[in-house]
Amino acid sequence: MSTTLKGRVAVITGSTSGIGLGIARALAGEGAAVMLNGFGDPAEIEKLRAGLAAEFGVQVFYNGADLSKAQACEELVTDAEQRLGAVDILVNNAGIQHVSPVESFPADRWDAVIAINLSSAFHTIRTALPGMKKRGFGRLINIASTHGLVASANKAAYVAAKHGIVGLTKVVALETAETGITCNAICPGWVLTPLVQKQIDARAAAGGIPTAQAERELLIEKQPSARFTTVEQLGALALFLCGPGGANLTGAALPVDGAWTAQ
Ligand code: NAD
């Protein structure tokens, strides 16, 4: 078993599913102790937690903080510091989507997307930074999106939040540039997770077309590779950022999007 992150502690928000779970697996696979977070069936989450701990021989804890609330974001980080001794790696991944034209975008959905996809990262980062600065090491990874770099119609809150988190990433990188801490954004294109499956299903229903056709149309409309980015590929990039090769890579917004943003 590989152990390049042995002795490191990672908090990954929204890691009960999708990309967050993929990154948690990658970090645990290199020996990091992990704090999981996110929603789901308690029995399923416990199975996931115990399974990761057994598979990789690392400590794995779970905190179900609702990251739409500032205080819960702070408590997630302090809980990890107390139970695991430190937070060396913080992956801000939790996110939701809502699709609607701007003039009919429900105000409560706007607030929820901004709170979970953007403000939560501000709150976890500001809580984790003092400990990272004291230890002279930190890896802050914000899961943005191609929608942090370019826009699509009907995603006002999501695009605003993702552009916002790219901006936050740059500011934190500047403020930590001489401290041993790096802060980067990963900007995935389409990844086949529950968040995207919902959009494929909605497309199939709206067009009266089979799901497979809706999936293909969704992909080729934006992502020239016509292939989904995988959670394993994103896990591998997160590992690179946490390793020695990533030590002077900071303030970047890294697209993993099959040339979506090259157009
Ligand atoms: P997902 O729906 O599979 O996972 C989202 C995770 O966030 C889940 O664990 C969920 O429980 C958690 N979560 C949601 N609301 C929360 C809250 N209030 N508090 C705590 N946890 C909460 O989605 P995903 O596709 O894996 O998305 C993960 C991140 O990647 C999101 O930020 C998303 O915007 C981003 N992203 C996804 C894609 C894609 O194509 N799937 C592309 C680019 C960026």
Side-chain angles (χ1 to χ4, degrees), residues 33-125:
V34 162
M35 175 64 86
L36 297 172
N37 159 260
F39 298 150
D41 173 62
E44 285 298 316
I45 292 172
E46 174 50 25
K47 216 164 97 186
L48 197 69
R49 188 205 64 73
L52 278 177
E55 183 176 353
F56 298 116
V58 295
Q59 279 189 294
V60 182
F61 287 117
Y62 167 73
N63 179 310
D66 175 354
L67 301 184
S68 64
K69 299 179 171 66
Q71 198 182 332
C73 299
E74 291 173 26
E75 285 169 3
L76 172 63
V77 173
T78 54
D79 184 32
E81 287 172 339
Q82 279 159 17
R83 288 206 269 171
L84 290 160
V87 174
D88 304 299
I89 299 164
L90 170 63
V91 182
N92 288 302
N93 164 80
I96 58 169
Q97 176 62 282
H98 187 84
V99 179
S100 168
V102 71
E103 71 272 22
S104 53
F105 209 97
D108 70 323
R109 291 297 83 205
W110 170 275
D111 289 343
V113 172
I114 298 297
I116 296 164
N117 296 20
L118 175 57
S119 302
S120 71
F122 161 66
H123 295 303
T124 55
I125 288 172

Side-chain angles (χ1 to χ4, degrees), residues 47-258:
K47 216 164 97 186
L48 197 69
R49 188 205 64 73
L52 278 177
E55 183 176 353
F56 298 116
V58 295
Q59 279 189 294
V60 182
F61 287 117
Y62 167 73
N63 179 310
D66 175 354
L67 301 184
S68 64
K69 299 179 171 66
Q71 198 182 332
C73 299
E74 291 173 26
E75 285 169 3
L76 172 63
V77 173
T78 54
D79 184 32
E81 287 172 339
Q82 279 159 17
R83 288 206 269 171
L84 290 160
V87 174
D88 304 299
I89 299 164
L90 170 63
V91 182
N92 288 302
N93 164 80
I96 58 169
Q97 176 62 282
H98 187 84
V99 179
S100 168
V102 71
E103 71 272 22
S104 53
F105 209 97
D108 70 323
R109 291 297 83 205
W110 170 275
D111 289 343
V113 172
I114 298 297
I116 296 164
N117 296 20
L118 175 57
S119 302
S120 71
F122 161 66
H123 295 303
T124 55
I125 288 172
R126 71 179 169 77
T127 311
L129 270 180
M132 289 179 171
K133 282 186 177 165
K134 206 184 297 170
R135 290 185 300 281
F137 179 88
R139 292 289 180 267
L140 299 163
I141 301 174
N142 297 321
I143 306 304
S145 166
T146 48
H147 287 115
L149 305 170
V150 295
S152 293
N154 301 321
K155 295 186 175 176
Y158 190 86
V159 170
K162 295 301 187 182
H163 276 67
I165 205 165
V166 168
L168 174 67
T169 300
K170 292 177 182 176
V171 172
V172 173
L174 288 174
E175 292 183 9
T176 57
E178 295 188 51
T179 64
I181 299 166
T182 67
C183 182
N184 292 288
I186 294 179
C187 299
W190 291 122
V191 187
L192 191 53
T193 66
L195 181 137
V196 165
Q197 189 63 51
K198 274 186 219 155
Q199 294 173 61
I200 293 169
D201 294 344
R203 197 181 181 113
I209 54 174
T211 308
Q213 187 185 338
E215 185 176 303
R216 169 96 191 140
E217 285 179 11
L218 173 122
L219 259 182
I220 57 173
E221 183 180 276
K222 300 277 187 184
Q223 194 148 301
S225 68
R227 277 178 286 122
F228 287 106
T229 294
T230 67
V231 301
E232 289 77 14
Q233 289 161 354
L234 297 172
L237 179 54
L239 277 182
F240 177 80
L241 292 173
C242 291
N248 202 32
L249 201 178
T250 190
L254 304 163
V256 191
D257 65 1

